[in-house]
Coordinates of all heavy atoms in Angstrom, one line a residue:
S11 N 6.6 18.6 15.7 CA 6.4 19.3 16.9 C 5.9 20.8 16.7 O 6.2 21.4 15.7 CB 7.7 19.5 17.7 OG 8.0 18.1 18.1
K12 N 5.0 21.2 17.6 CA 4.6 22.7 17.4 C 4.3 23.2 18.9 O 3.7 22.6 19.7 CB 3.2 22.6 16.7 CG 2.5 24.0 16.5 CD 3.3 24.9 15.7 CE 2.8 26.4 15.7 NZ 3.7 27.2 14.8
R13 N 5.0 24.4 19.1 CA 5.0 25.0 20.3 C 4.1 26.3 20.2 O 4.3 27.1 19.3 CB 6.3 25.4 20.8 CG 6.4 26.0 22.2 CD 7.8 26.4 22.5 NE 8.6 25.2 22.9 CZ 8.6 24.6 24.1 NH1 7.8 25.1 25.1 NH2 9.3 23.5 24.3
F14 N 3.2 26.6 21.2 CA 2.5 27.9 21.3 C 3.1 28.5 22.6 O 2.7 28.1 23.7 CB 1.1 27.7 21.5 CG 0.4 27.1 20.2 CD1 -0.4 25.9 20.4 CD2 0.3 27.8 19.0 CE1 -1.0 25.4 19.2 CE2 -0.4 27.2 17.9 CZ -1.0 26.1 18.0
L15 N 3.9 29.5 22.5 CA 4.6 30.1 23.6 C 5.1 28.9 24.6 O 5.9 28.2 24.2 CB 3.6 31.0 24.4 CG 3.2 32.2 23.5 CD1 2.1 33.1 24.2 CD2 4.4 33.1 23.2
G16 N 4.5 28.9 25.8 CA 5.0 27.8 26.8 C 4.5 26.5 26.6 O 4.9 25.6 27.2
L17 N 3.5 26.4 25.6 CA 2.7 25.0 25.6 C 3.2 24.3 24.4 O 3.2 24.7 23.2 CB 1.2 25.3 25.4 CG 0.5 24.2 25.3 CD1 -0.1 23.6 26.6 CD2 -0.8 24.4 24.3
L18 N 3.7 23.1 24.6 CA 4.1 22.2 23.5 C 2.8 21.4 23.0 O 2.5 20.4 23.7 CB 5.2 21.2 24.0 CG 6.1 20.6 22.9 CD1 6.6 21.6 21.9 CD2 7.2 19.8 23.6
A19 N 2.2 21.8 22.0 CA 0.9 21.3 21.5 C 1.1 20.0 20.8 O 0.2 19.2 20.8 CB 0.2 22.4 20.7
L20 N 2.2 19.9 20.1 CA 2.5 18.6 19.4 C 4.0 18.2 19.7 O 4.9 19.0 19.6 CB 2.4 18.7 17.8 CG 1.0 19.0 17.3 CD1 1.0 19.3 15.8 CD2 0.0 17.9 17.6
R21 N 4.2 16.9 20.1 CA 5.5 16.5 20.6 C 5.9 15.3 19.6 O 5.6 14.2 20.0 CB 5.4 16.0 22.0 CG 4.8 17.0 22.9 CD 4.5 16.4 24.2 NE 3.8 17.2 25.1 CZ 4.2 17.7 26.3 NH1 5.4 17.3 26.8 NH2 3.5 18.6 27.0
G22 N 6.7 15.6 18.6 CA 7.2 14.6 17.8 C 6.2 13.6 17.3 O 6.3 12.4 17.3
V23 N 5.1 14.2 16.7 CA 4.0 13.3 16.2 C 4.4 12.7 14.9 O 4.8 13.3 13.9 CB 2.7 14.1 16.1 CG1 1.6 13.2 15.4 CG2 2.2 14.5 17.4
S24 N 4.2 11.3 14.8 CA 4.4 10.6 13.5 C 3.2 9.8 13.2 O 2.6 9.1 14.1 CB 5.7 9.6 13.5 OG 6.8 10.5 13.7
L25 N 2.7 9.9 12.0 CA 1.6 9.0 11.5 C 1.5 9.0 10.0 O 2.3 9.8 9.4 CB 0.2 9.4 12.1 CG -0.2 10.9 11.9 CD1 -0.9 11.1 10.6 CD2 -1.3 11.2 13.0
H26 N 0.8 8.1 9.5 CA 0.6 8.1 8.1 C -0.8 7.6 7.6 O -1.5 7.1 8.4 CB 1.7 7.1 7.3 CG 1.5 5.7 7.7 ND1 1.9 5.1 8.8 CD2 0.7 4.8 7.1 CE1 1.6 3.8 8.8 NE2 0.8 3.6 7.8
V27 N -1.1 8.0 6.4 CA -2.5 7.6 5.8 C -2.1 6.8 4.5 O -1.4 7.4 3.6 CB -3.3 8.8 5.5 CG1 -4.6 8.3 4.9 CG2 -3.6 9.6 6.8
E28 N -2.5 5.6 4.4 CA -2.3 4.9 3.2 C -3.4 5.1 2.1 O -4.6 5.7 2.5 CB -2.3 3.4 3.5 CG -1.0 3.1 4.4 CD -0.9 1.6 4.7 OE1 -1.8 0.8 4.3 OE2 0.0 1.3 5.6

Side-chain angles (χ1 to χ4, degrees):
S11 294
K12 177 69 191 175
R13 180 183 288 278
F14 296 117
L15 297 172
L17 180 91
L18 201 48
L20 296 175
R21 307 168 189 241
V23 171
S24 296
L25 55 79
H26 68 273
V27 181
E28 290 176 10

